[in-house]
């Protein structure tokens, strides 16, 4: 391995630990070129290596948990470590890591939103509500009138909180009522994209913006989303929105209508059938501090928008 000459100073202990982890040379090169993005680069490397070199992935995550200067990076590393432990059949160790992450005063809002969705999907409603409350702290502190006027995408954690509270049999509070009312009779996905794109015409109709949408099929590998990101950047002048889709949904849509599931027109046809709550359109490119389009729960600048993805 070639020892890098970093273009900006990094903590010497961190550099020594990085060089001792047997990372691929391209990761070392990325770190040398973009040392200020070290956290994102190392998280992406751990994700890529988790299948082929799990021991190296775990060492990278341990390094981030101990030395990452950014609290969000430390928490994402803990979360990914727990995931690897669970995949290895070490559920009790994984649970201990998550409990450590959820200690009062430790859990940050980005990771709280990720955990809240996971707990809600698993039916662990008490912990889901705790995490949603952390993720929604600033929204809950805001006057409900401000919440009523917010973009639906920004209300997703608050919507999740309201639905979990409903499942727990708790009486709706004013934020629950506001966010659930906002979702009733909501716009179609096409209308929502038109609104975001500023293509409203007189009479409240919209130009069809689906010609400028990229429907991205969900995948498992981090490298898949990075490849998609590169393609999105190459087509940036032609795109305006990204919508994620499960391949099974596309196949079912195609079968019902006798379409080719691999035809881009089929993907756009599927998008026209959705309402805005079914699949949130992501304006392309996202703001750097916005949630990444891939659904990881991380900020775009720390995920697919990282300098490490080139």
């Amino acid at each position: 391995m070639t020892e890098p000459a970093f273009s900006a100073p990094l903590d010497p202990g961190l550099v020594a630990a990085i060089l001792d982890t047997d990372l691929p040379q391209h990761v070392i090169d990325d770190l040398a070129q973009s040392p200020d993005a070290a956290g994102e680069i190392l998280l992406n490397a751990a994700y890529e290596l988790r299948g082929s070199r799990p021991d190296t992935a775990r060492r990278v995550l341990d390094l981030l948990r101990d030395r990452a200067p950014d609290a969000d990076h430390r928490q994402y590393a803990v979360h990914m470590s727990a995931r690897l432990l669970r995949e290895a059949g070490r559920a009790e160790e994984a649970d201990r890591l998550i409990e450590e992450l959820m200690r009062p005063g430790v859990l940050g809002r980005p990771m709280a939103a990720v955990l809240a969705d996971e707990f809600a999907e698993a039916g662990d409603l008490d912990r889901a509500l705790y995490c949603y409350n952390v993720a929604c702290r600033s929204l809950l502190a805001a006057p409900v009138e401000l919440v009523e006027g917010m973009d639906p995408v920004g209300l997703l954690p608050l919507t999740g909180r309201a639905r979990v509270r409903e499942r727990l049999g708790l009486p709706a509070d004013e934020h629950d009522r506001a966010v659930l009312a906002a979702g009733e009779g909501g716009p179609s996905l096409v209308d929502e994209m038109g609104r975001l794109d500023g293509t409203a015409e007189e009479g409240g109709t919209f130009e069809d913006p689906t010609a400028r949408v990229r429907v991205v099929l969900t995948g498992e590998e981090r490298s898949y989303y990075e490849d998609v990101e590169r393609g999105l950047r190459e087509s940036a002048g032609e795109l305006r929105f990204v919508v994620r889709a499960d391949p099974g949904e596309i196949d079912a849509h195609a079968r019902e209508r006798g379409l080719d599931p691999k035809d881009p027109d089929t993907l756009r046809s599927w998008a026209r059938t959705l309402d805005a709550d079914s699949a949130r359109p992501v304006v392309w490119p996202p703001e750097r501090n916005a949630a990444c389009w891939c659904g990881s729960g991380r900020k775009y600048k720390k995920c697919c928008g990282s300098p490490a993805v080139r």
Side-chain angles (χ1 to χ4, degrees):
M1 180 185 296
T2 303
E3 185 166 339
F6 289 100
S7 60
L10 280 178
D11 174 70
L14 179 60
V15 172
I18 289 171
L19 295 176
D20 194 41
T21 53
D22 190 30
L23 285 167
Q25 186 63 45
H26 74 87
V27 176
I28 299 298
D29 293 341
D30 287 342
L31 288 167
Q33 293 175 22
S34 304
D36 56 336
E40 299 98 88
I41 292 169
L42 291 172
L43 280 170
N44 288 339
Y47 194 95
E48 289 177 354
L49 295 169
R50 75 192 195 285
S52 59
R53 294 164 60 182
D55 289 340
T56 300
R58 281 192 287 270
R59 291 182 67 190
V60 171
L61 293 172
D62 288 344
L63 167 64
L64 284 168
R65 288 164 54 191
D66 293 338
R67 294 180 176 273
D70 185 285
D72 284 346
H73 291 154
R74 293 195 297 272
Q75 294 191 6
Y76 285 123
V78 171
H79 181 257
M80 196 182 300
S81 295
R83 181 175 176 180
L84 291 180
L85 287 169
R86 207 173 299 282
E87 290 174 354
R90 297 159 64 182
E92 290 186 4
E93 293 176 67
D95 289 342
R96 283 197 293 271
L97 283 182
I98 296 301
E99 289 300 327
E100 173 189 324
L101 196 59
M102 292 178 61
R103 283 183 295 136
V106 173
L107 186 60
R109 281 183 291 177
M111 181 50 59
V114 173
L115 290 176
D117 288 344
E118 291 181 356
F119 287 140
E121 185 175 348
D124 190 343
L125 301 184
D126 289 328
R127 291 208 290 180
L129 181 57
Y130 170 79
C131 291
Y132 276 129
N133 283 335
V134 174
C136 297
R137 188 177 294 138
S138 60
L139 291 173
L140 293 171
V144 71
E145 293 78 13
L146 292 180
V147 171
E148 290 171 345
M150 285 182 60
D151 189 289
V153 176
L155 291 176
L156 287 176
L158 199 58
T159 302
R161 174 184 179 271
R163 288 173 177 161
V164 164
R165 285 172 54 82
E166 188 175 48
R167 290 167 67 186
L168 285 168
L170 298 174
D173 61 23
E174 60 179 358
H175 286 85
D176 294 342
R177 289 190 290 271
V179 76
L180 292 176
E184 293 177 357
S188 70
L189 182 66
V190 171
D191 285 348
E192 179 69 1
M193 289 191 293
R195 184 187 68 78
L196 292 171
D197 202 22
T199 58
E201 299 174 348
E202 290 185 11
T205 60
F206 296 92
E207 298 174 8
D208 181 4
T210 56
R212 299 178 65 196
V213 67
R214 175 71 57 83
V215 178
V216 177
L217 301 182
T218 54
E220 291 294 330
E221 296 298 325
R222 180 72 212 155
S223 58
Y224 164 75
Y225 288 109
E226 291 180 359
D227 287 342
V228 172
E229 169 73 19
R230 295 183 186 100
L232 292 171
R233 293 180 190 179
E234 290 175 2
S235 305
E238 306 165 11
L239 290 176
R240 180 59 174 159
F241 304 100
V242 173
V243 176
R244 290 183 297 118
D246 183 275
E249 293 181 83
I250 301 300
D251 287 343
H253 177 83
R255 283 196 305 272
E256 289 172 2
R257 292 162 176 78
L259 303 174
D260 179 357
K262 297 181 181 179
D263 189 330
D265 286 339
T266 300
L267 301 181
R268 288 191 284 270
S269 168
W270 169 82
R272 293 188 188 99
T273 68
L274 303 177
D275 60 40
D277 280 330
S278 300
R280 295 291 184 188
V282 177
V283 176
W284 179 262
E287 295 290 335
R288 284 180 53 76
N289 285 316
C292 189
W293 60 265
C294 74
S296 66
R298 297 164 62 192
K299 292 181 180 179
Y300 177 63
K301 69 180 181 182
K302 297 181 178 180
C303 193
C304 293
S306 164
V309 181
R310 289 194 294 273

